Amino acid sequence: MAKEILYQKIANIIEEQIFSETLKIGDKLPSIRALQKLHNVSLNTIKQSFLELESKSLIESRPKSGFYVSKTSNRKLSIPSMNQLKQPEKQAAPEDLITKVFNSLNDNSITRFSLGVPDPSLLPIAKLNKGIIKAVQNLEETGSGYGPVQGSANLRRNLAKWSIVLEGKLTEDDFVITSGAMNAIYNCLMAVTKRGDTIAIESPVYFGIIQVAQTLGLTIIELPTHPTTGVDLDALKKVIHKIDVCCFMSNFSNPLGSLMPDESKIELVKLLTYHNIPLIEDDLYGNLFFGTTRPKPCKYFDEAGIVMWCGSISKTLAPGYRLGWVAPGKFKNKIIRQKLVETICTPSLYQEVIADFLEHGRYDHHLRNFRSTLYTNSLHFQRTIEDFFPENTKISQPQGGTFFWLELDKNIDTAVLYDTAIKQKIGFAPGRIFTHHNQYNNCLRLNFALEWKPKVEADLKRLGLLIKNAV
Amino acid sequence: MAKEILYQKIANIIEEQIFSETLKIGDKLPSIRALQKLHNVSLNTIKQSFLELESKSLIESRPKSGFYVSKTSNRKLSIPSMNQLKQPEKQAAPEDLITKVFNSLNDNSITRFSLGVPDPSLLPIAKLNKGIIKAVQNLEETGSGYGPVQGSANLRRNLAKWSIVLEGKLTEDDFVITSGAMNAIYNCLMAVTKRGDTIAIESPVYFGIIQVAQTLGLTIIELPTHPTTGVDLDALKKVIHKIDVCCFMSNFSNPLGSLMPDESKIELVKLLTYHNIPLIEDDLYGNLFFGTTRPKPCKYFDEAGIVMWCGSISKTLAPGYRLGWVAPGKFKNKIIRQKLVETICTPSLYQEVIADFLEHGRYDHHLRNFRSTLYTNSLHFQRTIEDFFPENTKISQPQGGTFFWLELDKNIDTAVLYDTAIKQKIGFAPGRIFTHHNQYNNCLRLNFALEWKPKVEADLKRLGLLIKNAV
């Protein structure tokens, strides 16, 4: 209790400095260590103060740099609370609801805040199509033949070169090409688990992870996950003896948009290395950072080879190419074997298109523009939600990725709201699909990787009105 | 004993008629029923006589037509014997040997009798490339987005129309598109089996089937398989109580080239329907028939929905497109679910290319030419083998497909022979890789889907010489 008062006291001091504009928007805060000495408290107390300020959106962390007074510190809404999981009420993933949301994706007249992929208008389709025609000419007959099981050497070489966040720790030999990140995760699970094993995942979590775990007969343990800092490691420690594999999104998770701090990543890798538990790291949003640098993946801190680092171009370039990869550490041979019996090899054409895109800097060029668009969009969305959604709406504060996670009034059932909204051609993803417990019923996920135009703005406002009416 | 003498006696009579040219090459034989009445014996006795004559390559069956004096009835070599499986000596698939054969595929200077795919010179690559460019233009941005899990409706519609051998029994709704036939089989196994289940397969069998079964933790029962008429149903009946799933190639099997007669297919489907055992039917060679009509698949006789009919374009058009399909009967929803968690969807582009190829008759046009080339090649290969291989060589008599199966002198180890041959840039597939028992060590598979040119002919002769030297 004393400790709680202490960190809140320090948080209050900083908060006052922000409101008095002693600390202005964009200012850098003193380092945690400096504050620790100043207040003569533990590092953890200062960290808790920062978390408190962050949860009020007053400050934001920037990877490798420190904490800053948040650009959006004038926001009115608080961020969602970390969930208390309703353990006894486990249920299956709500397949009907998922199917309903999926089916809406075929109707172009719907404003698809529901999507898990960027709007095509934000993607360099024409350049990709040119790339296909070039690849057809270069590949000639080899494009119709089998390629290596591990994937095109050209693509793997370019991936290794392009993965500068790993600081040269990976070579072309460390990658296996897959049919998208989902297929990478699937192959990892097939390689390291058997029916009846237990998997630890975040909560809320991308519903595809629940579906694949259930299909493979795995027991699922959902772990409380903080909207800003990711999976709760203390909760993981409590169940670690039951766990056979972990699957986490360390950077800009779907749906929360949380980003694990480096210290948490280091702690996680150490913990799992000690217990010899493989970590499937789904890092397909890692390049969509709003800060100055790409956050490191857990893979960076992995010395024992237990981290299987999964990525893809599905969220940044071309979902339908079904092109992803995994750097599977010590499980490489198992993954290659799994891929061989599952599908023999990956089609050559798209691999060469993407290799070329990487090699000539076109992917990085696109990512720079795309990140800038996403960040601007996130500000538009946030302002509109603050102005047109009920005041008790809570909203996540993603530092990257493409999603907002909203927690609405506890009396609202977003599965019911979905039916109302879809009649008005507005789609979103109801919270219930992101868990196999019976919860998040008053939450929803909004995709902001859309073109910000009057119709989208109007539909977002209308969604706010629908929610107000539903309260 | 009396019965054996009877069928041999009748076979001898017909053989004499052929040698005396009373029955000339290409003549149709009297029907089984007519001969039964003539000799006053059972139908089975006449069938056995025909099998005997067929095993000597004196006669050949043509689907839906009857038996004819074989065009190659002047062949010198007999067909391989049906194997007696060495039950106690079960071993793993010889992975090192498979890897060695696979690795040779990357060296274009090797004459690849070893291949399981047609030589690119026999494929309409230029037309396919044109198709890609057309599809890129038509698909525009939709080509980069997700498609339906079940696969492109356009492709499924064209597949249903094109599957005339099924006589309209299948609609677009009955197909699921997969990443090649191997992926279709994989998905079928994931849908209907669990670790520890038992699968019945042919012997010798395509090694990929052994690999996938072992990876999924299935117990394998290899069944004796006749080089002409396929899997031995009596052997299947003896173990039927142990079997959870069957996977057979009813038409032009790999590696034997056997073709199950319609009666056997009907009997098989009845048997499995009675025991409620799913049949994965790998029918990817069915369109490569040398006779007048495409043989029916077991699927044609399936009323209970237990047959999962798998096909692909990998052996006829473009192996590297990784495009196949399955008509999974009553297991459709399980297959779609499995595909969703494994990879979400199939890339759009190739699906549209192949749909267009089917729709405009270009696939049928190509198949006509391809079949004609394959049949001519098979005659060239057979004559060369008869003239340049040892006299005790036994050779299969495929009525379609792309393979010869050879049984050499029992003292020859084709795994050793492989090393000698590959030094001379001649590749073939050693018999040992087609079983998980320790046998077929004196057998080999030759792919004749190559361009028949002087170098190929010379290398085939050299292979014969190597074998003569090895005896």
Side-chain angles (χ1 to χ4, degrees), chain B residues 431-450:
Chain B
R432 179 63 185 84
I433 69 177
F434 300 98
T435 176
H436 80 308
H437 297 267
N438 181 21
Q439 58 182 51
Y440 308 130
N441 294 300
N442 62 329
C443 297
L444 61 89
R445 187 193 74 178
L446 294 180
N447 168 41
F448 55 79
L450 301 176

Side-chain angles (χ1 to χ4, degrees), chain A residues 3 99 114 123 138 141 143 181 187 224 255 262 312 388 448 461 466:
Chain A
K3 195 180 170 196
T99 306
S114 48
L123 302 176
N138 289 345
E141 65 182 43
N187 285 336
D262 276 0
S312 89
F388 293 89
F448 55 79
K461 290 177 183 172
L466 288 176

Side-chain angles (χ1 to χ4, degrees), chain A residues 162-209:
Chain A
W162 170 83
S163 302
I164 46 172
V165 67
L166 267 295
E167 295 177 4
K169 292 185 181 191
L170 296 181
T171 70
E172 65 183 86
D173 203 41
D174 294 314
F175 286 91
V176 180
I177 305 303
T178 63
S179 225
M182 195 61 209
N183 182 242
I185 294 168
Y186 174 87
N187 285 336
C188 291
L189 287 173
M190 285 297 290
V192 303
T193 69
K194 54 185 190 307
R195 194 163 281 273
D197 280 358
T198 298
I199 181 171
I201 58 178
E202 291 140 344
S203 182
V205 68
Y206 167 53
F207 52 85
I209 305 295

